[in-house]
Amino acid sequence: MKTYSIIYALLAFVVIGCSTSDDSTLPEEKEEEQIVYEADYVLLQQSNGQLSVQMLEADESELDVSSVESTFANVPLPDITFQNGSMFAFYTKVSDCDGQVTIHDFDEDISTTVDVFGDLLACDLTVTSITLDGDILYVAYYKEETSKINKYYVRTLDLASEANNREDIELDKKPSQMVVTNGRLFVLTLDWDITDEYELSVIDTTTLTVVNGIGLGYNVKRIFEDNQKNIIISYQELHTVLNSSTLAVKYVNYEEATAPKFSGSKMYCFDASGRLFYIRPDDSETSGVPAIYDFANNKALLYYYGNFLTETQLTFEFKIGQTTMVSYDDGNNVMLVGYQKSDNGLKGGLLRIQLEPEPKFLDNLDLDGVPYQIYYKDE
């Protein structure tokens, strides 16, 4: 078993001293190199139970609202979402027997709506997870057959086909989360009826058959994919790294005081080196702490607001309340932190934090909604 240590990110203020000499010649002053943080962002934000899009732009002086508009239509805040790069998808229940998935590609600014259960006549179903793999949409759901019997399925829909594009894969346990990679669909399932133990069902995406079942025990919090196509299986006290090709596993244990606590995050953002950007709950800072977890070295960096903001900025100028989003601009090596206003739950703001050579506050933008997720547009 491997144990990791936690590192707290602190700003280092260095005072450079000067010594006197007999040489009265002053050294030539070097002009400080100015870093330009130009970027375009697509921000998903929530307000009054609605999810909307705000386009943003940044130049060498500030972050601001862009004049560019998106075709994304305001929708009720969804319970089930999926995001991978520029692709964002969410499920909306239409009736007890039907629902639809809306897919929006923010690079192309095009929305597609998919009718998921139009072929079912009599049912009482609940969708638990959705995921995309190219033109294939996967929807995990269960159906109540009787008051004591449930049926569990993953439905596949071929978005490139106009006819007969639906197929159901029956499972023996309740599906809760899904990850698709390396030609396999990994479904986190729960033995809801008897043991309350979790299992990972491995489905071949070509044959649509369950080819393996991996017992996971109790209290699995979440599964997700890292940037190396590994499946991360997260518990409160440890995580498991599952190789999606070989199914080999590696266990990483935590000490209670130094647990990274990334299992509660709904949105995941990785940089090219495999660092995870997320919100870490913290007893001493109830708003949640922006954090980075380095899987390669099993270390977490915590970016407490007080390390790069003054008390006046934190409390009175920006009025930072709950942290709602942490993401990464890989073109500029900048952390993006969304928050809810402490005095108005319907409004929020967005901070940009320079990461190298040391954490440094760049700018803040006040918003009419609360940040939900952000996408950096790499033109």
Side-chain angles (χ1 to χ4, degrees), residues 186-288:
F186 296 84
V187 186
L188 178 65
T189 62
L190 173 66
D191 191 341
W192 208 17
D193 303 315
I194 302 174
T195 67
D196 282 335
E197 289 187 88
Y198 286 91
E199 183 177 280
L200 197 64
S201 295
V202 184
I203 297 172
D204 186 298
T205 57
T206 301
T207 63
L208 300 184
T209 57
V210 179
V211 295
N212 209 330
I214 303 170
L216 301 178
Y218 299 96
N219 302 320
V220 178
K221 300 300 182 184
R222 190 166 293 275
I223 65 169
F224 57 95
E225 181 185 8
D226 69 9
N227 70 328
Q228 301 296 317
K229 297 186 179 297
N230 296 312
I231 308 301
I232 306 299
I233 305 164
S234 179
Y235 301 79
Q236 189 70 26
E237 70 283 358
L238 62 87
H239 71 261
T240 299
V241 181
L242 175 71
N243 186 301
S244 61
S245 295
T246 66
L247 301 185
V249 297
K250 180 178 72 173
Y251 304 96
V252 180
N253 279 359
Y254 317 134
E255 296 176 1
E256 183 176 354
T258 58
K261 300 181 181 179
F262 53 68
S263 61
S265 293
K266 292 184 178 180
M267 298 286 189
Y268 292 93
C269 176
F270 284 90
D271 69 3
S273 67
R275 297 184 303 172
L276 170 68
F277 291 72
Y278 69 104
I279 301 170
R280 184 185 188 273
D282 190 270
D283 294 337
S284 64
E285 191 160 330
T286 56
S287 60

Side-chain angles (χ1 to χ4, degrees), residues 7 31 49 54 85 114 201 204 218 233 241 320 325:
I7 294 179
E31 190 173 319
Q54 178 64 66
V114 183
S201 295
D204 186 298
Y218 299 96
I233 305 164
V241 181
I320 294 178
M325 180 217 79

Side-chain angles (χ1 to χ4, degrees), residues 34-41 56-66 329 332 334 352 362-365 376:
Q34 184 178 12
I35 303 174
V36 179
Y37 295 95
E38 293 183 348
D40 292 305
Y41 302 107
L56 305 176
E57 61 183 4
D59 56 24
E60 66 275 6
S61 60
E62 63 179 353
L63 174 67
D64 205 353
V65 172
S66 171
D329 170 353
N332 294 298
V334 168
R352 292 197 305 164
L362 294 177
D363 46 32
N364 170 79
L365 179 65
Y376 163 66

